[in-house]
Amino acid sequence: EENKPSPILDLVLSDTGSKLFLLLLVAKEEMSSSDDDKATPRWHKLLDPYEVSALHQNPTVTENGEEVPTSKKESGTRRRELLVYLKELLVDVCTKHTEELMRSKSGSKVLIEVCENFASEELFQAIVDVCAVDSEDEKALPLFEDPVGHLTMKHLFLSESKKSSDDDDLSLARMFYAKFEEELGSIATSNRGAFVLSSLLQTCVKDEAKKALKSHKKEIAKLAKGGKDVKKLAGCKVLLDALK
């Protein structure tokens, strides 16, 4: 039973199926955490205008020529009730299939929102563990260099950075730093890895991470500048600016 695939895995990895879960995970009134788009509800960032109209939260049926709501409950109440019902399934798919979701455009969106709604040490540990091991797929890039995987980590850290955090609070950034403190220098010398660390430097472990990267700053600066036989890495430039 423990090794049995999640029954909702295919839906979560599906571009269309995942949006059903996103519709429940993100409240319509929630605002975007993006600095450059503060006025846009996250609901509208995850669903295009047609989907918003097709999946509106107040469905009706026609009775005697009149539009009648299918439920007497307020839409937010219905959403929260359904989300509680699906909580176990959503957490299960994210902890069992963490790597697949982190490397998937659709799956990563669901994973990020599940972390927002149902953060747990088990879930965060699953994410950290995926970062620490090689993929079973020999052709797959390391997670920090994966086109989707590195963005998943970046968004998870940025999401956490928006919240106030006490030392006793559960923190993905803190768990990540504890695991990779000795490897931050290596991660920093890859382009996408540097982008991940630049977002880590916005979290509660920014001071510790800056200290750990201090001895690698010269190499990061070299890669940020580029030159003869050295490829210029945009991620290192962003990281270098964050280290100032």
Side-chain angles (χ1 to χ4, degrees), residues 11-55:
L11 281 173
V12 171
L13 294 175
S14 162
D15 179 53
T16 51
S18 63
K19 289 173 182 176
L20 169 65
F21 301 113
L22 293 174
L23 189 68
L24 295 175
L25 286 161
V26 182
K28 186 176 182 180
E29 65 274 10
E30 285 185 35
M31 304 304 288
S32 170
S33 60
S34 172
D35 288 334
D36 59 355
D37 203 1
K38 290 182 178 178
T40 303
R42 290 169 60 223
W43 208 57
H44 287 266
K45 288 177 72 69
L46 295 167
L47 303 168
D48 65 38
Y50 172 75
E51 290 164 337
V52 169
S53 64
L55 297 173

Side-chain angles (χ1 to χ4, degrees), residues 80-221:
R80 289 188 290 272
E81 288 177 349
L82 288 169
L83 193 55
V84 169
Y85 180 76
L86 287 171
K87 175 182 176 179
E88 188 175 339
L89 276 172
L90 287 167
V91 172
D92 178 69
V93 72
C94 289
T95 51
K96 277 186 177 178
H97 306 283
T98 315
E99 182 178 358
E100 286 177 83
L101 269 58
M102 291 182 74
R103 293 177 183 268
S104 159
K105 287 184 178 181
S106 299
S108 62
K109 292 176 183 178
V110 174
L111 174 68
I112 290 168
E113 297 304 332
V114 170
C115 287
E116 280 283 307
N117 286 271
F118 308 122
S120 69
E121 185 172 350
E122 181 185 13
L123 179 54
F124 285 174
Q125 190 60 56
I127 293 170
V128 172
D129 288 345
V130 165
C131 293
V133 300
D134 293 330
S135 173
E136 294 182 1
D137 183 354
E138 294 181 358
K139 296 181 180 178
L141 291 167
L143 190 87
F144 297 126
E145 278 296 293
D146 184 81
V148 178
H150 89 285
L151 288 175
T152 304
M153 288 305 302
K154 176 182 174 182
H155 290 310
L156 285 168
F157 288 147
L158 290 177
S159 177
E160 183 173 311
S161 73
K162 305 296 179 183
K163 307 170 187 175
S164 58
S165 177
D166 294 325
D167 291 343
D168 295 332
D169 289 344
L170 182 65
S171 166
L172 174 62
R174 215 174 270 125
M175 292 173 68
F176 179 90
Y177 178 76
K179 181 74 173 181
F180 291 99
E181 179 182 359
E182 301 298 324
E183 298 173 49
L184 293 188
S186 175
I187 297 170
T189 57
S190 71
N191 188 49
R192 289 169 176 158
F195 278 117
V196 172
L197 293 187
S198 67
S199 61
L200 180 69
L201 292 180
Q202 297 185 45
T203 69
C204 59
V205 297
K206 61 182 179 182
D207 293 335
E208 298 96 318
K210 282 184 177 182
K211 186 176 180 180
L213 287 167
K214 188 175 181 180
S215 62
H216 303 279
K217 199 170 179 179
K218 186 175 181 180
E219 178 65 16
I220 296 169

Side-chain angles (χ1 to χ4, degrees), residues 60-88:
T60 60
V61 294
T62 303
E63 290 185 2
N64 301 320
E66 294 184 3
E67 294 293 318
V68 180
T70 57
S71 173
K72 294 181 180 180
K73 294 181 180 179
E74 189 267 329
S75 61
T77 301
R78 289 203 316 274
R79 183 188 73 85
R80 289 188 290 272
E81 288 177 349
L82 288 169
L83 193 55
V84 169
Y85 180 76
L86 287 171
K87 175 182 176 179
E88 188 175 339

